[in-house]
Amino acid sequence: MICPFWQMPLNSTCFRCSQRSVFEGMEGLCMLLKRLAYPCRYSDMIPRFGRPVPEISMMTNVVLDWIYNEHGHHLTDFNQPFLSRASLRTYADAIHQKGAALNNCWGFVDGTVRPIFRPLQNQRIVYNGHKRVHALKFQSIVTPNGLIANLYGPVEGRKHDSGMLADSGVYNELATNSFDPAGHPLCLYGDPAYPLRVHLQAPFKNAVLTPQMEDFNNSMSAVRSSVEWLFSDVINDFKFLDF
């Protein structure tokens, strides 16, 4: 999460479920974290929290909805303090210092495939031919400080990365906000599936690459791996998402 949990006023917040069960925010947060940290049944949580399964289910969903409604904008809105022009310039300098050929790249964009159970209907819509699984897809932008700056999804598993880019409207946001304090354009870097634009760069994908092209691709590939590490970090912290 972009907003640390300890900044949420859950200690003083009381929630009410649809069937009028009332509980404190900290209790609900602990239930949600227990649920997400490791795959478990609601019945396995009864000895720890002392509530019946229906209440535990409703309480975790109420807190999850509250977190999304109150803090989801940190993952969808580019108008954030950590995405100011000065911050973007700092990110670009950090990436360049790590060996990237580009000196104006402030982050990396990529799509991730999250497998799901095969649905009974409309299987082709969610089938991802590349991974050969039924799945949902997400598009994320990652900055070198380890944050997910933007998250779009879920979308159907068959959607191409370039299609997600168009649907998300991210490039329009980049055209407005992706500049350093001096007004110079900054860019994101993605895989070969993404188009080449002023604010979006990708590897060379010619049939025959010159040594300079290969050096460029290698230097950017080395720093771009951080976006995949972040996906792994999320799954490691919240095992339930991969269950």
Side-chain angles (χ1 to χ4, degrees):
M1 295 291 294
I2 297 300
C3 180
F5 285 126
W6 56 82
Q7 292 184 6
M8 301 182 194
L10 289 175
N11 280 326
S12 59
T13 301
C14 286
F15 294 93
R16 184 185 297 272
C17 299
S18 58
Q19 95 308 3
R20 299 185 181 180
S21 292
V22 178
F23 62 97
E24 292 185 355
M26 185 56 66
E27 180 186 9
L29 177 61
C30 291
M31 287 184 180
L32 177 62
L33 293 178
K34 171 62 178 176
R35 175 70 168 168
L36 295 179
Y38 192 80
C40 64
R41 297 180 177 88
Y42 287 122
S43 58
D44 299 331
M45 300 167 61
I46 293 177
R48 182 179 295 272
F49 297 104
R51 288 182 180 264
V53 168
E55 282 192 2
I56 295 177
S57 175
M58 286 185 286
M59 290 164 65
T60 54
N61 287 325
V62 167
V63 174
L64 184 63
D65 289 341
W66 183 88
I67 292 175
Y68 179 80
N69 292 331
E70 292 293 324
H71 300 280
H73 66 277
H74 291 292
L75 295 175
T76 58
D77 189 355
F78 274 79
N79 186 23
Q80 305 290 342
F82 61 91
L83 293 179
S84 65
R85 290 192 173 191
S87 297
L88 298 186
R89 183 69 262 175
T90 301
Y91 301 153
D93 291 340
I95 292 174
H96 185 58
Q97 290 171 7
K98 283 295 184 179
L102 292 174
N103 61 3
N104 67 335
C105 171
W106 63 267
F108 306 96
V109 59
D110 194 17
T112 182
V113 177
R114 305 308 314 155
I116 61 173
F117 188 81
R118 183 176 63 184
L120 297 178
Q121 298 179 344
N122 301 322
Q123 295 182 16
R124 292 188 176 184
I125 294 178
V126 295
Y127 184 74
N128 184 274
H130 178 64
K131 299 290 186 178
R132 298 182 182 275
V133 293
H134 295 85
L136 297 175
K137 293 187 69 174
F138 294 85
Q139 173 186 274
S140 70
I141 296 174
V142 176
T143 53
N145 59 358
L147 293 181
I148 296 178
N150 185 270
L151 185 68
Y152 174 73
V155 299
E156 59 273 20
R158 71 176 183 179
K159 179 75 72 172
H160 194 269
D161 285 355
S162 60
M164 281 199 299
L165 180 73
D167 294 344
S168 66
V170 161
Y171 192 79
N172 294 332
E173 293 285 352
L174 294 176
T176 303
N177 301 295
S178 187
F179 296 89
D180 66 9
H184 301 135
L186 302 176
C187 70
L188 296 175
Y189 186 82
D191 59 32
Y194 292 99
L196 290 176
R197 299 289 188 272
V198 173
H199 299 283
L200 183 62
Q201 296 294 305
F204 288 101
K205 47 188 175 182
N206 298 344
V208 178
L209 299 180
T210 66
Q212 292 80 5
M213 292 178 179
E214 292 181 351
D215 290 342
F216 174 89
N217 288 353
N218 291 335
S219 71
M220 297 305 300
S221 177
V223 293
R224 183 182 174 273
S225 59
S226 61
V227 66
E228 299 173 355
W229 295 346
L230 194 55
F231 290 147
S232 299
D233 290 343
V234 172
I235 297 301
N236 288 334
D237 289 337
F238 302 102
K239 293 287 189 181
F240 183 81
L241 301 178
D242 204 32
F243 182 61

